[in-house]
Amino acid sequence: MSPLRLVLGLCVLGAVILGVSLVFQRPPAAAEATAFTSSSQCQACHAQVFEEWSGSQHSQSWVNPAVRALSNDFANTDCIDCHAPRPVFETGLANRVLPRESRRQEGVDCIACHQLADGRMAGTIDKPEAACRPAATRELARVEYCAPCHDQHGTVAQWRETEYARQGVGCIDCHMPFRNGDPNQGRDHAMHGGHSLEVVRSAVTLAAERRGDAIVARVTNSGAGHHFPTDERSRAADVFWRPLEADGRPSGPWRWAYRFRSPYRHEVELVDTLLAAQATREIEIADAAGRVEVALFYKLSPYWKDPERPAPEAEARLVHRVVVEP
Amino acid sequence: MSGAPLASVLSALLLGLATAGCGTGDPPAASEPGFALRAVVVPSRAAAEAAAPRASETAPEPADPEALEAVLGGLAGPDARLHRLALADARALGDAAVAPLAAILRDPAQVPARRAAAAHALAGLGTERALSSLLGALESEHEAWLRAQCAWRISTLQIDAAVPRLVLRLKYEADDMTVVWIAESLSTLGHLAGLDGLRVVRDTSGDEAARASAGERLAAIAAEHGFESGDELYAAWYAGDPTGRIRVPQPSPALLREAWDWIARLGEWDLRRVDDARFVLVRLEGWVVPLLAQSLHESDVYTRVHAAQVLERRGARARAAAPELVAALADARLGPQAALALGAIGDRAAAPPLEALLVGAPDLERRVAAARALGRAGTSTSIEPLRAASGAGQPLDLRQAAAAALVGLDQGDAQAGFLLECLLSPAADAGSAEHALGAWIAGRARDGAQPWAGLCARWRALDPAAGSVPDATEVAHRRAERAALAREALAHARR
């Protein structure tokens, strides 16, 4: 036998042995079930996700001072269901969550979103040998997963009426984008929404034009997959205007023109003015001669300190502004 | 645990055996042996509806317009005899008059006197359909005078099926005179849910006439029940009428049917509708408690958990449900809420099963809830298991809940140091720790002795202004100041 044939034969034999050993290799042993009592247990393996979540509103849902004040320090116990929920998968997709008694200070935490009814963790891959025993769970990407809390104010129902729903663009496509646009880097768990001015700015556009002495402002819900604003009745967006000097300095105070908001039920004198996805609303501002600035402000709480003299720059966030020439 | 009473230990063992098979690392199973679940609401609603069939959904043909005009004409003037005749004519028209009268009532183009006459005529019809029409206007008309008119007219109908919707209106009504008339209507139907609203209007209304009316109604209702004052009656009602002095009529079959409708709402998706149902069911009279106790067995988890929340909010007015709530402690999903309800009821007889739950429940949720409940319903036997639960080595949530509960049992001196740590630790529930420390100082200041009274006043002075929404910096500043106060208090406690 030539040396070449011997080497080739040994290579083939080696490949066969390797293949057989791979085929008959025992799967890795499943990890022991771990009792997860805090999201901090996730930090060691999922540092980036934990950091993103820690800066998110989900992590603040129990401790946020505004939430505590508006819920009467959670004496309004109805708020606990969504601000300290038991796992979504415990009651099932599209079903409401139940309130929990423990680790409330962690708010809407890793366990609330990822713990499955059998104690494993919902993830994107099956990895039974990992400490949290992740199980590939496609439901994590469905809107029904967010609905238990976020459809309480109709956001998912609003989304169903949009073109986004027909195209299959769901909640996480906008609110949990892939990091750096790369699916291999996983999704951002900061989950930006109404607290992010960047997100709010991307949701709407503002334009204005002169019609005689009047101005017509046009607000278009160009980027949100639901009404603007949405989710919380405490949210509001207001259109203001003020006269400007020729050099651009304001020559008068801000004047209120219009509000986008869904009122509380006791506010029977108000009507729902939310702006549906892709819809445009024209707001006529009379007697606005000269150079004028029109602006859209966003508020996380609907009330002004002095309703007679709202101070949008101090109490709201500037989303967009346009200047209309005489 | 070594110091726990024998009964608690035995109860814990039994509970442990009943729930064996639940691994501590796994979430609790949906239901466990020992507490039977079944369909409760659907068959109960069906039975209630059979006993009191609803009015047909098909509206009858509208009444003859001329006959209707005659009725309205008779009611427009001040002549009482003409009123009686017109109302007799209205009754003869029956439900055929409801739709046209409702249209006039709710038409803003009609003059107020004519709309008021339509409300009067609807009340005169005396049917459930007419009642529903008046309630609809009360719930949604923008003009306050018209809502007040409807509330007043409903009081003359004497149909107790109106009670739940009248109660709910109290949650949303912004007009003080309308609140007074809703309370009056409820009172004439034997329900005292309007007392709270009357007290608020009497004490805070900017409308002098409404303040006076509320005060007069409170006094009159109190006298009807043999109480010296409205406040005394309210206190007795709120405490579950411990002396049995309040007369409550039995509900009609129609009101029972309505009550089951509201219980069914507890299982709905929309939390605002659920909260409306909780609001109503909390304020109905004591006859509703057995219905809620039955609902604890409902197989729909939302219905049974929310029924327990209703019982919790009723507090002492849910005492009759205590045995069923004790049994419900065995249900993993219902158990935490059942424990909290027992705590709110405050029945000391519930302490042993709650202690057993604290020691032996297989899941943290029930142990934490049991600790919180024992802070309100605990006895001297609860102190030792709570101390054990607050000790190092236990989960932080349990330690904190047990420490706060011990404050509720006047054992705060030994817990204040740990609660102060919780106030400052990002891992703990700082808001709850702040409450517990405030309760500890307030408890020590109960007899007005210094330095505790002074410390308590300084603590309360740091409360945010009513209606204000503090930001994170303000909250951090307040907690830092309160931490300093708590350290000062601790130093006094250790002397």
Side-chain angles (χ1 to χ4, degrees):
Chain A
M1 187 182 285
S2 73
L4 183 60
R5 283 194 170 188
L6 182 64
V7 170
L8 278 173
L10 285 172
C11 284
V12 170
L13 183 64
V16 169
I17 290 169
L18 181 65
V20 168
S21 68
L22 282 174
V23 168
F24 291 100
Q25 186 183 33
R26 291 175 64 187
E32 288 284 317
T34 305
F36 284 94
T37 55
S38 166
S39 292
S40 60
Q41 291 169 274
C42 312
Q43 188 175 11
C45 299
H46 303 278
Q48 185 177 10
V49 170
F50 187 84
E51 190 183 340
E52 289 164 352
W53 167 80
S54 298
S56 75
Q57 290 303 313
H58 275 166
S59 76
Q60 301 298 302
S61 64
W62 183 260
V63 297
N64 182 323
V67 170
R68 293 201 78 100
L70 292 169
S71 66
N72 195 16
D73 247 349
F74 287 104
N76 301 349
T77 51
D78 334 330
C79 307
I80 298 174
D81 295 39
C82 284
H83 284 265
R86 287 169 76 152
V88 173
F89 289 110
E90 185 183 310
T91 36
L93 219 59
N95 291 322
R96 238 193 9 256
V97 284
L98 292 169
R100 69 172 190 261
E101 296 297 321
S102 57
R103 65 171 205 291
R104 285 174 166 176
Q105 63 281 3
E106 294 184 6
V108 182
D109 64 345
C110 311
I111 297 169
C113 288
H114 287 275
Q115 187 165 63
L116 293 164
D118 62 5
R120 292 182 299 161
M121 289 292 166
T124 52
I125 55 167
D126 283 308
K127 200 170 182 186
E129 71 276 20
C132 63
R133 300 179 296 148
T137 310
R138 292 170 61 84
E139 285 83 354
L140 283 175
R142 288 175 56 181
V143 294
E144 289 81 3
Y145 177 64
C146 312
C149 290
H150 290 281
D151 209 21
Q152 281 301 321
H153 302 283
T155 302
V156 175
Q158 293 160 9
W159 169 84
R160 287 189 203 286
E161 301 300 315
T162 68
E163 192 58 32
Y164 298 100
R166 286 182 277 280
Q167 293 171 2
V169 179
C171 310
I172 65 169
D173 294 303
C174 294
H175 295 283
M176 284 187 78
F178 291 117
R179 296 186 190 95
N180 303 312
D182 178 5
N184 294 318
Q185 294 185 36
R187 290 190 181 273
D188 185 346
H189 280 62
M191 289 171 247
H192 294 299
H195 284 263
S196 159
L197 195 51
E198 187 186 350
V199 169
V200 176
R201 283 181 173 150
S202 70
V204 284
T205 58
L206 169 70
E209 64 180 24
R210 179 163 295 288
R211 284 187 196 162
D213 276 349
I215 283 173
V216 175
R218 261 193 309 279
V219 180
T220 300
N221 180 348
S222 55
H226 43 69
H227 290 4
F228 172 82
T230 189
D231 210 18
E232 286 294 336
R233 279 154 197 267
S234 55
R235 304 288 165 79
D238 293 270
V239 175
F240 280 83
W241 69 280
R242 64 182 175 185
L244 295 180
E245 303 283 6
D247 63 3
R249 285 180 299 116
S251 60
W254 285 111
R255 298 171 200 190
W256 178 85
Y258 190 82
R259 163 160 279 199
F260 296 94
R261 186 179 161 234
S262 175
Y264 294 115
R265 273 182 298 175
H266 67 270
E267 296 170 314
V268 289
E269 72 283 8
L270 301 179
V271 294
D272 189 323
T273 54
L274 297 184
L275 187 61
Q278 300 302 315
T280 295
R281 188 154 307 150
E282 288 194 346
I283 299 135
E284 185 168 308
I285 302 167
D287 299 327
R291 195 167 194 224
V292 163
E293 180 181 16
V294 179
L296 179 68
F297 288 90
Y298 184 76
K299 269 179 74 57
L300 294 167
S301 142
Y303 307 119
W304 301 102
K305 285 179 180 165
D306 180 356
E308 299 299 314
R309 288 184 196 156
E313 285 176 309
E315 301 176 50
R317 300 165 180 204
L318 176 64
V319 181
H320 294 301
R321 59 182 287 274
V322 291
V323 173
V324 184
E325 300 299 337
Chain B
M1 171 151 169
S2 58
L6 184 60
S8 296
V9 178
L10 286 173
S11 301
L13 281 171
L14 286 172
L15 189 69
L17 285 171
T19 54
C22 280
T24 51
D26 289 339
S31 63
E32 294 171 27
F35 191 72
L37 301 178
R38 60 180 184 272
V40 172
V41 175
V42 169
S44 300
R45 274 183 97 185
E49 192 161 346
R54 291 175 210 280
S56 162
E57 286 187 11
T58 314
E61 283 295 310
D64 172 26
E66 280 188 26
L68 210 62
E69 286 305 320
V71 168
L72 291 173
L75 291 171
D79 190 327
R81 195 178 60 84
L82 272 181
H83 284 187
R84 281 194 296 277
L85 292 170
L87 289 175
D89 288 347
R91 275 191 289 276
L93 293 172
D95 275 346
V98 171
L101 284 172
I104 293 166
L105 176 72
R106 306 187 70 162
D107 180 1
Q110 303 277 343
V111 295
R114 190 168 157 81
R115 299 173 78 184
H120 194 169
L122 279 165
L125 292 176
T127 66
E128 273 204 51
R129 191 183 292 275
L131 168 66
S132 185
S133 183
L134 284 167
L135 284 167
L138 171 63
E139 287 161 349
S140 58
E141 278 301 319
H142 287 201
E143 293 151 287
W145 74 267
L146 192 62
R147 297 200 301 275
Q149 184 78 210
C150 292
W152 172 45
R153 290 300 179 191
I154 288 168
S155 73
T156 66
L157 267 164
Q158 287 299 313
I159 300 177
D160 68 357
V163 166
R165 286 171 72 179
L166 285 171
V167 171
L168 180 62
R169 191 60 211 156
L170 289 170
K171 185 179 176 189
Y172 297 107
E173 183 53 62
D175 176 63
D176 290 343
M177 274 316 289
T178 307
V179 169
V180 172
W181 284 113
I182 291 171
E184 169 71 7
S185 284
L186 286 166
S187 161
T188 59
L189 293 166
H191 278 249
L192 299 179
L195 289 179
D196 200 15
L198 284 175
R199 294 169 76 236
V200 171
V201 172
R202 180 198 64 186
D203 297 340
T204 66
S205 177
D207 175 351
E208 195 178 327
R211 281 203 310 274
S213 283
E216 285 166 17
R217 286 315 309 148
L218 267 172
I221 296 168
E224 284 163 22
H225 288 272
F227 284 79
E228 291 291 316
S229 70
D231 291 337
E232 191 193 343
L233 172 61
Y234 178 75
W237 181 78
Y238 191 77
D241 191 20
T243 55
R245 291 169 65 191
I246 300 175
R247 296 183 307 280
V248 178
Q250 284 302 302
S252 72
L255 178 51
L256 285 172
R257 181 197 69 208
E258 295 295 313
W260 277 113
D261 284 351
W262 286 92
I263 290 173
R265 269 208 200 185
L266 295 176
E268 289 190 8
W269 161 268
D270 185 339
L271 274 174
R272 276 165 292 168
R273 281 175 61 83
V274 171
D275 194 52
D276 283 353
R278 280 187 293 228
F279 184 92
V280 169
L281 293 164
V282 164
R283 286 159 181 79
L284 294 182
E285 297 300 335
W287 52 262
V288 83
V289 173
L291 278 57
L292 291 162
Q294 287 178 56
S295 304
L296 295 174
H297 288 276
E298 168 60 51
S299 48
D300 173 71
V301 65
Y302 302 105
T303 304
R304 65 180 190 270
V305 167
H306 291 144
Q309 287 176 350
V310 172
L311 293 169
E312 179 193 2
R313 292 180 196 192
R314 289 184 71 98
R317 295 171 57 240
R319 200 174 290 120
E324 215 57 53
L325 286 164
V326 169
L329 296 175
D331 181 271
R333 285 183 175 168
L334 183 56
Q337 194 56 58
L340 295 175
L342 284 166
I345 290 169
D347 187 347
R348 305 293 176 205
L354 286 170
E355 289 158 15
L357 195 73
L358 173 69
V359 174
D363 54 87
L364 186 59
E365 289 287 298
R366 277 184 285 187
R367 296 185 71 197
V368 171
R372 292 197 174 116
L374 284 169
R376 303 175 75 177
T379 65
S380 58
T381 64
S382 313
I383 292 171
E384 203 49 47
L386 281 169
R387 278 188 186 142
S390 71
Q394 297 287 353
L396 178 58
D397 292 311
L398 183 61
R399 292 185 68 196
Q400 194 178 337
L406 285 164
V407 170
L409 298 178
D410 288 335
Q411 304 292 312
D413 285 8
Q415 306 302 322
F418 171 64
L419 289 168
L420 178 57
E421 285 175 31
C422 292
L423 178 65
L424 301 171
S425 164
D429 186 348
S432 300
E434 192 177 354
H435 274 294
L437 284 166
W440 169 57
I441 292 172
R444 291 294 306 252
R446 210 176 290 136
D447 59 4
Q450 295 297 352
W452 295 98
L455 283 166
C456 186
R458 285 160 63 198
W459 184 279
R460 286 182 178 155
L462 294 169
D463 281 346
S468 70
V469 179
D471 60 26
T473 310
E474 290 167 329
V475 169
H477 181 69
R478 184 187 76 222
R479 285 188 181 152
E481 288 201 45
R482 282 187 164 165
L485 271 175
R487 281 190 204 97
E488 199 179 325
L490 260 172
H492 284 297
R494 285 171 181 155
R495 274 175 203 159

